[in-house]
């Protein structure tokens, strides 16, 4: 039996780090001075030394793959995971920076990873540690010298609880990096479904809103029947809609603010499915693009008794759950509703877990499914 295969492209891989910091008895964790945020020293004259409490593979596309990994692991024996294991497979393709000639190439952990920068190899190792049932593929980007092409994200929390700062730097690409991605798509064997998500790298220090449109067009040139799902708002999404049918995603998964930012005339031209979510729940918009559509009751409601710990990665989990549901149940009206319920159960699992998306398991998601109402 042939498995339906999802391909997820990770353009902005990240090593997420959780930091904790002690509170200064006079000034607290931080204060504002001359228009800037200032961190107090933990002791007079000492360096600020937050504790690193966790490091793990991240990036919005990687987080989609985590949802599939949770259900495809052999250890997952729930009814839905068994169904997924019989029918689905998933590939995560991560684009990593290759070393320039100025770096010494490390011999460990081996010839495959030694082609990448040390930071790129570190992120590949984190993915290999965290993802067990998703097939990992690493594609090299042309060396770009000292340009920042690795992402180290930090979530700073107080040692007594409470999030203070979360930062996630942009990647900087040269035009040759874009060419390498498009060349990969022209020669790669993609699955039946393509998942795209996340902010795009800056190309020569400038946003390139057309990059997703170019990626979708290149992928469809090889596989015209490819189903594409996109989680991004703003200019990159509008560029896809403006570029023509070959560059438009079949499914858009965005929050309500991102959806409202799309010009009304382009919303009316979009013939795919838009899954729009906020704290109330999800709207399934198929041929209903007016503002009035978002004023009615959501098609799928969030759990009224949700105990929100934080919301980091909840949208990524929702997109992963949506793709999992679409591949299992299809895009009929009934299949869409079932897929969106699964999507919301994944998001609920993340927001109630202290471990964020790392706490997402098939067992936890299926326990939460009855809490999601249509």
């Amino acid at each position: 039996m042939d498995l339906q295969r999802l391909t997820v492209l990770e353009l902005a891989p990240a090593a997420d780090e959780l930091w904790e910091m002690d509170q200064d008895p006079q000034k607290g964790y931080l204060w504002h001075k001359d228009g800037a945020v200032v961190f107090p020293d933990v002791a007079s004259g000492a360096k600020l030394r937050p504790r690193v409490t966790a490091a793990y593979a991240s990036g919005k596309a990687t987080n989609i793959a985590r949802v599939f990994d949770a259900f495809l692991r052999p250890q997952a024996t729930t009814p839905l995971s068994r169904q997924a294991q019989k029918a689905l497979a998933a590939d995560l393709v991560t684009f990593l920076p290759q070393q320039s000639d100025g770096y010494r190439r490390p011999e460990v952990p081996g010839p495959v990873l030694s082609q990448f920068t040390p930071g790129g190899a570190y992120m590949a190792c984190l993915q290999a540690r965290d993802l067990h049932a998703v097939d990992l593929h690493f594609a090299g980007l042309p060396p770009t010298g000292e340009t920042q092409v690795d992402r180290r994200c930090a979530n700073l929390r107080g040692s007594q609880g409470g999030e203070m700062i979360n930062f996630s730097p942009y990647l900087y690409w040269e035009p040759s990096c874009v060419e390498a991605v498009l060349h990969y798509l022209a020669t790669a064997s993609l699955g039946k479904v393509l998942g795209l998500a996340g902010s795009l790298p800056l190309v020569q220090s400038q946003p390139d809103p057309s990059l997703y449109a170019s990626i979708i067009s290149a992928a469809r040139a090889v596989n015209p029947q490819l189903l594409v799902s996109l989680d991004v708002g703003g200019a990159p999404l509008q560029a896809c809609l403006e570029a023509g049918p070959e560059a438009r995603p079949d499914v858009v998964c965005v929050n309500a603010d991102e959806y409202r930012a799309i010009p009304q005339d382009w919303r009316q031209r979009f013939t795919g499915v838009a899954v729009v979510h906020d704290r109330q729940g999800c709207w399934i918009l198929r041929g209903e693009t007016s503002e009035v559509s978002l004023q009615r009751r959501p098609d799928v409601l969030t759990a009224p008794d949700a105990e929100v710990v934080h919301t980091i990665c909840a949208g990524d989990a929702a997109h992963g759950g949506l793709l999992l549901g679409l591949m299992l149940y299809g895009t009929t009206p009934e299949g869409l509703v079932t897929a969106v319920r699964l999507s919301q159960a994944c998001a609920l699992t993340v927001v109630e877990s202290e471990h964020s998306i790392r706490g997402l398991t098939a067992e936890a998601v299926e326990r939460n499914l009855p809490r999601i109402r249509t």
Side-chain angles (χ1 to χ4, degrees), residues 186-199:
T187 57
S189 176
L190 302 179
K192 294 182 178 180
V193 179
L194 177 64
L196 300 171
S199 299

Side-chain angles (χ1 to χ4, degrees), residues 153-172:
C153 304
N155 184 43
L156 181 61
R157 300 184 299 188
S159 56
Q160 299 174 3
E163 182 177 289
M164 296 179 288
I165 286 182
N166 178 278
F167 69 86
S168 179
Y170 280 106
L171 294 181
Y172 284 81

